[in-house]
Amino acid sequence: MALDQSFVGRTYPPTPAYEVGREKIREFAEAVGDTHPAYVDREAARALGHADVIAPPTFVFSITYRAAGVVVQDPQLGLDYSRVVHGDQKFRYVRPVRAGDRLTVTSTIENIKSLAGNDVLDIRGDVHDEAGELVVTAVTKLVARAAEEA
């Protein structure tokens, strides 16, 4: 059953604040194999004009994907998450994520379409800092595979 198009534009409440820690940034950079010194060394980050270490570009996926969970678990949407695969991910940065940031995510359903019986759902996560300034926008594309014929 196709997802309801009337959900396009629906915005969900912001998440509780997530505090970005130096150790979380270091662990993430290590896990993805990114050895840029600005991710682990405050002085290297300062030499690039940042007040503290910065996070790799894909770091925010962990908090935006968690925020998108509110959307996919919305019973009114009717998404069968057992059939979902991650289709695509895009980030539009205003500034890098820095250690010490307290970030919230507001999720909005940007698009719903049906392709060959599959539901394709685009969820935009707007990430704001404590001052309410936009830091990054992440767009997550989820594909709910069509049910197999009996």
Side-chain angles (χ1 to χ4, degrees):
M1 182 168 96
L3 296 177
D4 185 345
Q5 289 289 318
S6 73
F7 275 74
V8 173
R10 182 174 287 197
T11 297
Y12 293 78
T15 62
Y18 172 87
E19 187 163 348
V20 179
R22 279 187 209 99
E23 184 63 14
K24 290 289 185 185
I25 292 172
R26 185 196 63 74
E27 289 172 349
F28 186 87
E30 185 177 281
V32 298
D34 196 329
T35 60
H36 194 289
Y39 303 150
V40 295
D41 181 346
R42 182 186 275 170
E43 293 310 313
R46 285 184 176 158
L48 294 172
H50 305 289
D52 207 330
V53 296
I54 59 173
T58 56
F59 178 85
V60 296
F61 177 75
S62 61
I63 61 172
T64 58
Y65 194 73
R66 188 175 320 134
V70 174
V71 177
V72 300
Q73 293 172 9
D74 182 341
Q76 293 177 337
L77 178 61
L79 182 69
D80 180 357
Y81 194 71
S82 71
R83 306 201 64 76
V84 169
V85 294
H86 185 241
D88 192 22
Q89 187 69 48
K90 294 181 180 160
F91 301 98
R92 293 186 301 267
Y93 273 86
V94 174
R95 69 160 174 86
V97 170
R98 300 182 288 245
D101 277 341
R102 291 180 49 80
L103 305 174
T104 59
V105 182
T106 302
S107 296
T108 301
I109 297 176
E110 274 209 325
N111 194 24
I112 296 173
K113 60 185 169 185
S114 185
L115 296 170
N118 300 310
D119 287 319
V120 181
L121 176 68
D122 292 334
I123 303 170
R124 185 183 77 233
D126 294 315
V127 181
H128 293 88
D129 63 17
E130 226 171 355
E133 297 294 321
L134 181 65
V135 175
V136 58
T137 296
V139 178
T140 303
K141 185 179 294 293
L142 301 177
V143 179
R145 296 169 291 129
E148 297 174 9
E149 297 294 323

